[in-house]
Amino acid sequence: MTRKLFVNIPVSNLDASVEFFTGLGFTFNPQFTDENATCMLVGEDAYFMLLVKDYFQSFTPKPMGDAKVNDHALYAITADTREEVDELVDKALASGATSIREPMDQGFMYQRSFLDLDGHHWEVFFMDMSQMPAAES
């Protein structure tokens, strides 16, 4: 069975979020877009549903947390090169994102992080499996 991944996150301003993520190079499926939500393509079978807060709250009886105060998840996405990591994160920062920490370089993996307009924590990384240390037996 092939599964698709849909991650639902609340946003304060849907139009601003679409503009922000479009600027980072993401595309959206118009079939799943209206005034309450949009479907952002992240990978072949991976999507982020950006939902206005009231609509998001209609899916759960639990109170919605504030991503600017607490981390509920870290959203990690890959890039094809170290340069692409820098390009994507630099675009995010130029578009209003906030840097959360210094880049991490472990030789085989390079990673940078940012908080989006609503405070959601994104990790962008490149991993060169040929440089990964061998597992110890």
Side-chain angles (χ1 to χ4, degrees):
M1 168 188 241
T2 301
R3 298 189 188 272
K4 296 182 184 301
L5 173 68
F6 288 85
V7 177
N8 297 278
I9 62 173
V11 299
S12 298
N13 182 318
L14 188 60
D15 291 335
S17 293
V18 168
E19 182 179 337
F20 174 79
F21 286 108
T22 298
L24 301 184
F26 292 100
T27 58
F28 297 84
N29 183 335
Q31 290 177 294
F32 299 104
T33 299
D34 61 19
E35 67 280 355
N36 290 312
T38 190
C39 179
M40 181 173 77
L41 177 64
V42 177
E44 188 173 325
D45 288 318
Y47 310 88
F48 269 72
M49 296 297 298
L50 309 180
L51 310 175
V52 296
K53 289 183 176 183
D54 288 343
Y55 189 58
F56 178 91
Q57 189 66 68
S58 73
F59 287 96
T60 179
K62 293 169 41 177
M64 179 176 35
D66 184 348
K68 290 186 179 189
V69 177
N70 303 102
D71 273 330
H72 302 233
L74 305 177
Y75 307 115
I77 58 174
T78 60
D80 292 330
T81 64
R82 292 170 61 99
E83 294 77 19
E84 188 180 327
V85 170
D86 287 334
E87 180 181 323
L88 190 120
V89 174
D90 289 344
K91 281 182 184 177
L93 297 174
S95 298
T98 304
S99 179
I100 184 115
R101 66 172 182 231
E102 294 298 314
M104 293 175 51
D105 189 346
Q106 299 176 342
F108 72 97
M109 184 168 67
Y110 176 68
Q111 174 181 333
R112 288 183 62 193
S113 308
F114 67 89
L115 301 177
D116 70 15
L117 302 178
D118 288 285
H120 300 290
H121 187 144
W122 292 81
E123 302 280 338
V124 184
F125 67 98
F126 166 71
M127 192 163 24
D128 183 349
M129 295 301 289
S130 70
Q131 300 300 311
M132 189 162 179
E136 295 182 26
S137 350

